[in-house]
Amino acid sequence: MTELTSPLSQINNKPLREQVLDALREAIVQGDLKPGQTLIEADLAAQLGISRAPIREALQILNSEGLLETVPYRGTTVRRLSRQDIEELYSLRSVLESFAIRRIIARRNPDDVEVLREHFRAMLDRAEAGDLKTLNEIDRGFHDTLIRLSDHQLLQSIWNAVALRVRQVMALLNERNTDLKQIAYNHLPIIEAIAAWDEPRALQLIEQHIAATGELIAEGWVDPEPGDGA
Amino acid sequence: MTELTSPLSQINNKPLREQVLDALREAIVQGDLKPGQTLIEADLAAQLGISRAPIREALQILNSEGLLETVPYRGTTVRRLSRQDIEELYSLRSVLESFAIRRIIARRNPDDVEVLREHFRAMLDRAEAGDLKTLNEIDRGFHDTLIRLSDHQLLQSIWNAVALRVRQVMALLNERNTDLKQIAYNHLPIIEAIAAWDEPRALQLIEQHIAATGELIAEGWVDPEPGDGA
DNA sequence: TCACGGTCGATTGTCGACAGTCTACCGATT
DNA sequence: AATCGGTAGACTGTCGACAATCGACCGTGA
């Protein structure tokens, strides 16, 4: 056999640690595990039918990713999100995406624009179908694509962490922004500014777009009260 | 007894995991552990006289911090630093510090300026004494202070990770920048621009300062050849 | 000569047991 | 009643042993 790693999805051999890691991370950013909720290693282990060792390793990683909070000898809880956290999250996000756009425009590669336009079409399509869930995913995909196109590994890895928290915030939001097509159309001028290699305008648009979103969310955010979040 | 946590440095009770974490992290950023070098859990455990469990947890964390690279079932090595990594590191650093300065200037707090000027005086003092090691530490302290003054926890945590890698790069550099007083004086106009609340000038200076440093380092950087780095 | 299969040693992954630490509770003392 | 000291239970931290995986090595057979 020569290569062939990709198909058959590589059988099984992912360490338990990583499976647990993925599962917990997903549970957190989808809001299934609520901020403030405490995680008991033994419970998780029993629940998953494995020992505590891989669980502990996963928890340490999630802690260093900022999704959990661990106090030695005390326990680990899902990190709480204050209004200040939201504001910080979106302000930093704005900085990172601006940086990405600057790099994309500097490269002036028409292919990039086509990729982004394709995203917009998909977004509009989902919006017209009233498909909120998929629309959100595509919206995420658009911003992920901006980062990816910027071709900057370090930025990418930091973005990954930031984007996780954004997903978590979205999941915890009870109020839903229902003006779907508006969300989709919000992205069009950004794309066109990039297509025109108009850096100042693209930066102004993306920063305004993200700041507006952040403010909208921060505005209605109620800081979590003490309690175990359950 | 009422509080009193801070003095007496809290006796002992830091988990082994964290002690190992600190020790390994320091060894990496100081260049004692060379990029490419592989770390064997059992060896480290024997060397430190403890079991593998806390070692493994520390390694996972360092991996998620980007200082180590782990391949399941294969092992963990100190992450290699290519020239591209250096360029990415400094370009991102520039973005983060610019953001910090924008926030500092937006606040217009004269105390901030005084803190920065004090840093400059200390730097100049060390430079005149020809004290390279301390100068580097103070230089680091200056940039750390910029971030701290920006009062942005998320930025702070990302900066911490980035700054670690910067330290590692500095430690691995064989060529030393010997023009000490010049380094110190480089910071003065930045401080003065902040003092004057002159945002465009402050941003232009910091970006140029960091880009110049980055290019200087990237220029002489030799990409690591395969091998275990030892 | 070279591709193939199998085996072996080194190393990582997982487990169950035990040690250490913290909190909550409770009774004694003032 | 309020404070103190001590104890019990729940949980995290650490350990040593065992299982699983990988790469290198080595014959074997065409």
Side-chain angles (χ1 to χ4, degrees):
Chain A
M1 199 190 312
T2 38
E3 270 291 314
L4 191 72
T5 43
S6 181
L8 277 177
S9 64
Q10 295 165 311
I11 326 290
N12 236 342
N13 49 352
K14 239 170 106 183
L16 287 180
R17 175 210 332 145
E18 306 212 350
Q19 299 180 37
V20 174
L21 183 61
D22 292 344
L24 286 180
R25 190 161 33 209
E26 211 57 23
I28 293 171
V29 301
Q30 288 184 0
D32 297 332
L33 293 173
K34 300 273 187 294
Q37 189 170 347
T38 99
L39 304 184
I40 313 272
E41 296 168 7
D43 291 356
L44 292 172
Q47 205 169 317
L48 299 173
I50 61 178
S51 80
R52 283 172 50 218
I55 306 252
R56 285 179 59 82
E57 293 181 2
L59 292 181
Q60 300 298 338
I61 294 172
L62 290 168
N63 179 58
S64 92
E65 283 180 7
L67 293 179
L68 294 181
E69 229 167 307
T70 312
V71 182
Y73 301 110
R74 297 281 316 276
T76 65
T77 60
V78 180
R79 196 186 189 293
R80 291 171 193 281
L81 286 166
S82 67
R83 177 179 300 205
Q84 184 181 333
D85 288 326
I86 309 278
E87 288 165 358
E88 291 187 358
L89 187 58
Y90 279 83
S91 64
L92 187 70
R93 186 186 159 179
S94 175
V95 169
L96 298 181
E97 293 201 54
S98 290
F99 179 46
I101 287 181
R102 289 214 311 267
R103 287 176 60 93
I104 291 172
I105 290 183
R107 207 157 12 125
R108 284 179 160 62
N109 180 347
D111 295 347
D112 293 348
V113 176
E114 195 38 51
V115 172
L116 293 172
R117 283 214 177 97
E118 181 52 43
H119 260 281
F120 170 72
R121 279 191 289 272
M123 225 180 310
L124 194 55
D125 180 57
R126 291 296 85 203
E128 277 169 351
D131 185 348
L132 179 62
K133 187 163 179 297
T134 312
L135 175 62
N136 266 334
E137 277 165 22
I138 296 181
D139 177 61
R140 234 171 55 209
F142 173 77
H143 293 277
D144 284 348
T145 301
L146 277 183
I147 303 296
R148 188 164 41 75
L149 289 179
S150 78
D151 191 32
H152 192 297
Q153 287 181 249
L154 182 55
L155 173 63
Q156 178 75 59
S157 76
I158 287 168
W159 174 259
N160 290 342
V162 168
L164 282 177
R165 297 210 212 178
V166 172
R167 283 182 64 190
Q168 186 188 16
V169 168
M170 297 299 291
L172 294 171
L173 225 50
N174 29 21
E175 278 307 308
R176 287 323 206 139
N177 187 340
T178 45
D179 194 350
L180 300 183
K181 274 201 278 191
Q182 190 53 48
I183 295 179
Y185 273 114
N186 277 341
H187 295 80
L188 187 53
I190 297 174
I191 295 174
E192 291 313 319
I194 294 176
W197 314 133
D198 184 347
E199 178 178 301
R201 176 160 169 76
L203 295 185
Q204 192 238 321
L205 286 171
I206 192 82
E207 282 168 17
Q208 187 225 322
H209 172 58
I210 295 173
T213 311
E215 275 162 30
L216 191 68
I217 293 175
E219 208 171 286
W221 195 263
V222 281
D223 271 19
E225 74 289 354
D228 84 336
Chain B
M1 201 190 305
T2 39
E3 270 292 313
L4 191 73
T5 44
S6 178
L8 277 177
S9 64
Q10 294 164 313
I11 325 290
N12 238 341
N13 49 352
K14 241 169 102 181
L16 286 180
R17 175 211 332 145
E18 306 212 351
Q19 299 179 37
V20 173
L21 183 61
D22 292 344
L24 286 180
R25 189 162 32 211
E26 211 58 24
I28 293 170
V29 301
Q30 288 184 2
D32 297 333
L33 292 174
K34 301 272 186 292
Q37 190 170 345
T38 100
L39 303 183
I40 313 274
E41 297 169 7
D43 291 355
L44 292 172
Q47 204 170 318
L48 299 172
I50 62 181
S51 80
R52 281 172 52 218
I55 305 251
R56 284 179 60 82
E57 293 181 3
L59 292 181
Q60 300 298 340
I61 294 171
L62 289 169
N63 179 57
S64 93
E65 284 180 6
L67 294 179
L68 294 181
E69 228 165 309
T70 23
V71 182
Y73 301 109
R74 295 282 316 277
T76 69
T77 60
V78 180
R79 197 186 189 293
R80 292 172 192 280
L81 287 166
S82 67
R83 178 179 299 206
Q84 184 182 333
D85 288 327
I86 310 278
E87 288 165 359
E88 291 188 358
L89 187 57
Y90 278 83
S91 64
L92 187 70
R93 185 185 158 179
S94 175
V95 169
L96 298 181
E97 293 200 54
S98 290
F99 179 46
I101 287 180
R102 290 213 312 266
R103 287 176 61 93
I104 292 172
I105 290 182
R107 206 157 11 124
R108 284 181 161 62
N109 180 348
D111 295 348
D112 293 349
V113 176
E114 195 39 51
V115 172
L116 293 173
R117 283 214 176 98
E118 180 52 43
H119 259 283
F120 171 71
R121 278 191 290 271
M123 224 180 311
L124 194 55
D125 180 57
R126 291 296 84 200
E128 279 170 350
D131 185 348
L132 178 63
K133 188 162 178 298
T134 312
L135 175 63
N136 265 334
E137 276 166 22
I138 295 181
D139 178 60
R140 233 171 58 210
F142 174 78
H143 294 278
D144 284 348
T145 301
L146 277 182
I147 303 295
R148 188 165 39 77
L149 289 179
S150 78
D151 191 32
H152 192 298
Q153 286 181 248
L154 182 55
L155 173 62
Q156 178 76 58
S157 76
I158 287 169
W159 174 259
N160 290 342
V162 168
L164 282 177
R165 296 211 211 176
V166 173
R167 282 181 65 190
Q168 185 187 18
V169 168
M170 297 299 291
L172 294 171
L173 227 49
N174 29 22
E175 278 308 306
R176 286 323 206 140
N177 187 339
T178 45
D179 195 351
L180 299 182
K181 273 202 280 191
Q182 191 52 49
I183 295 178
Y185 273 114
N186 278 341
H187 294 81
L188 187 53
I190 298 173
I191 296 175
E192 291 314 318
I194 294 175
W197 315 131
D198 184 347
E199 179 179 300
R201 176 161 170 74
L203 295 185
Q204 191 238 323
L205 287 171
I206 193 81
E207 281 168 18
Q208 186 225 323
H209 172 58
I210 295 173
T213 311
E215 275 163 30
L216 192 67
I217 293 175
E219 208 171 288
W221 196 263
V222 281
D223 271 19
E225 74 290 353
D228 85 336

